Structures are given as structure tokens and as C-alpha cells.
Amino acid sequence: MIRTVVFDLAIATFIFALTGCLVSSSRQVKESGTAVSSSTLQHVEPGVTTKDWLLATLGPPTSHSTVNNDAGTEILAYKHEVVQTSKGKVFLLLNASSNSIQTQRTFFEVTDGVVTKYWTES
């Protein structure tokens, strides 16, 4: 009986050591859009900063719309998204994955070519 227990423990230890060696993991990060940093926003002054400066600094917006009631007012929106995917495997024991999506949108209200206000949503 003791011989059987020792044999079973030896087999279990061998299998555990074998599976422990077959571990893999990966992490992938994908970014899209235009990130508007807080330092960039510090340079935006409502009533002074122009649409041309925004376009030169940030490039074309993700979306652009005009306000129906006021022909001279438009909204420029910049969207930035970070998608993180992590995967891990332990051979024959565990297979796990996780996804994380962080989205930030920054909006600029522009009237007659000048920024009148801006805000950020996360």
C-alpha cells in the first residue's frame, strides 16, 4: 500500500512539474484615434484659441458636426481608444483571457473659428 501511494505521488509530481513548465502568456495593446493630453488642453484658451490651431496641433477630428440652431457653431470631437488583451495558459490546467477598453473623447465647441469651450469624457 505504501508503495502504491509513493508511486502515485511520484506520478502526480511528475505531471505537475511537466504542466508547470508549459506556461505561456501574452499581452497586446492596440491604440486608435487621437489622444488629447492634459498638457495640450492647458494651451487651449476659450475665446482665444482658433480652430486652425486645433487642426494643426491635433490633426483632423474623429467627427465633426455643426449645430443646427447656429450656423457659425461646430463641434469637433477627438476619440482615443486603448484596447488591452491579456491571455495566459498553463497546459491542461488553465486557459484565461481578459480584455480592457479605455475610451476618452474630447470635444471642442468652435464658434466663428474660435474655441468657445471644451470638455472631456472618459
Side-chain angles (χ1 to χ4, degrees):
M1 169 125 171
I2 292 178
R3 190 173 176 187
T4 305
V5 171
V6 171
F7 181 75
D8 289 345
L9 284 175
I11 294 294
T13 302
F14 175 75
I15 291 173
F16 182 75
L18 178 65
T19 59
C21 293
L22 299 174
V23 175
S24 68
S25 66
S26 66
R27 183 171 183 243
Q28 187 176 26
V29 178
K30 291 184 182 179
E31 288 191 53
S32 62
T34 302
V36 181
S37 67
S38 60
S39 62
T40 300
L41 290 177
Q42 289 176 353
H43 295 287
V44 177
E45 188 176 340
V48 176
T49 304
T50 65
K51 176 182 175 182
D52 290 338
W53 183 88
L54 282 178
L55 295 175
T57 304
L58 300 173
T62 307
S63 66
H64 172 265
S65 60
T66 56
V67 178
N68 292 336
N69 301 351
D70 189 355
T73 302
E74 56 191 330
I75 304 294
L76 305 179
Y78 291 86
K79 180 180 176 182
H80 181 245
E81 190 169 76
V82 178
V83 178
Q84 296 180 3
T85 304
S86 300
K87 296 180 181 181
K89 294 181 183 180
V90 178
F91 183 67
L92 296 177
L93 293 178
L94 178 67
N95 187 11
S97 65
S98 68
N99 290 322
S100 168
I101 301 174
Q102 297 173 343
T103 303
Q104 179 181 345
R105 292 181 190 92
T106 305
F107 300 92
F108 296 93
E109 180 180 284
V110 178
T111 303
D112 297 326
V114 178
V115 176
T116 51
K117 64 180 173 179
Y118 65 90
W119 64 98
T120 300
E121 298 176 356
S122 295

